[in-house]
Amino acid sequence: ALMMRQGVGSDAACPAAAVTIPRQLPSASSSRPAPGTLAAPCHGSEALQSSMAGASAGAALSAGELQLTRERKTSVMLRNLPNNYSRAMVLKMIDDEGFQGTYNFVYFPIDFRSRAGLGYAFVNFEDPVTVDRFWRTFEGFSNWMLPSKKSCFVSWCSPHQGLEAHVERYRNSPIMHPSVPDEYKPLVFSGGARVPFPAPTKAVRAPRLRT
C-alpha cells in the first residue's frame, strides 16, 4: 500500500498557462497526518477530531466574525463530505451552487490504501468576500449526488491561508510526483480554468512504499 506524509486531487491535462500567486502569509499552527492516510495540511489534529464530533465545530460565523475575517482570509475547509465522493464530484458540487470561477485552489485528500476520500476538501477563493456566501451555502448542505445522511459544515483553513501558502505546501511534496494519480493531487485555477500547478523548486521524491 502507498503511504504519504504529505497531503493530495479527474480532470484532463492542464492547458499551458501561467498562474499568478498573490502574497498572503499563513498563520503559525501545525498538524501531523494519521498513519496510512494523507495529511490534512489546513488544520491541527484537534480540529480534525472536532470535525468528526459534530456540526458544533462548524457553527456558522457570526456577523462580527465575518466582518473581522473577510478582508484577510480566503481559504476554507469543507467538512463531512461523503467518503465515496470523488474530486470531480466536489468540483461539480461547488460549481453547481454558483461558485464556478471564484476559486483558485481546490484539494480533495484521498486515502491511498482505500482510494476513498477522507471526507473534507480545501478551497481558496480569489476574493475574500465570496467566503461569506460560500459559508452560508454549504453550512448544513446535504444535497449530495450520491445517497448520504451527512450534512456538510465549514471552517477556516489553518495554518495555510491563501493561494501562495497552499502552493508552497505542495509544490515540492511527494504528492506531486509523476507516479501519483492526477485525481489525488491539488488543483490550481485561473479565471475558472485549470492551469498547471507551479513547478517544484527542488527534486520531488516519489511516495514511500510500505509492504
Side-chain angles (χ1 to χ4, degrees):
L2 285 169
M3 184 182 76
M4 300 287 301
R5 284 187 174 178
Q6 309 294 339
V8 208
S10 49
D11 307 316
C14 305
V19 57
T20 302
I21 304 172
R23 285 282 171 190
Q24 192 167 8
L25 297 177
S27 60
S29 59
S30 61
S31 61
R32 297 182 61 181
T37 64
L38 300 174
C42 295
H43 55 84
S45 58
E46 208 172 47
L48 181 56
Q49 291 170 7
S50 69
S51 73
M52 304 302 175
S56 60
L61 286 180
S62 68
E65 287 173 323
L66 284 169
Q67 183 64 33
L68 288 172
T69 57
R70 68 179 6 156
E71 294 303 322
R72 57 191 175 87
K73 287 189 176 182
T74 56
S75 301
V76 297
M77 182 177 180
L78 277 174
R79 300 173 181 263
N80 212 32
L81 300 173
N83 296 88
N84 54 355
Y85 255 38
S86 66
R87 188 185 66 180
M89 290 179 180
V90 172
L91 290 172
K92 186 177 188 306
M93 175 185 73
I94 295 172
D95 290 349
D96 286 351
E97 293 300 318
F99 295 94
Q100 185 172 14
T102 65
Y103 53 86
N104 52 24
F105 178 89
V106 174
Y107 169 52
F108 179 64
I110 302 289
D111 187 315
F112 269 32
R113 289 179 175 175
S114 66
R115 299 183 181 180
L118 296 184
Y120 51 86
F122 308 107
V123 185
N124 185 73
F125 294 94
E126 295 182 352
D127 186 343
V129 175
T130 308
V131 174
D132 188 355
R133 181 167 63 93
F134 184 86
W135 200 297
R136 297 181 190 283
T137 298
F138 285 102
E139 186 68 24
F141 182 90
S142 60
N143 187 26
W144 311 115
M145 302 176 195
L146 301 174
S148 175
K149 295 182 179 180
K150 286 188 172 185
S151 293
C152 181
F153 55 99
V154 188
S155 67
W156 289 118
C157 191
S158 174
H160 300 92
Q161 275 290 326
L163 178 60
E164 181 181 23
H166 288 291
V167 167
E168 291 306 312
R169 171 69 176 83
Y170 294 109
R171 70 193 312 172
N172 297 316
S173 165
I175 198 61
M176 302 307 296
H177 192 269
S179 65
V180 175
D182 179 74
E183 189 174 353
Y184 290 13
K185 298 180 178 182
L187 302 178
V188 172
F189 299 83
S190 180
R194 183 181 174 182
V195 296
F197 206 90
T201 58
K202 60 184 180 181
V204 175
R205 293 176 297 138
R208 291 193 310 167
L209 300 177
R210 170 181 276 183
T211 55

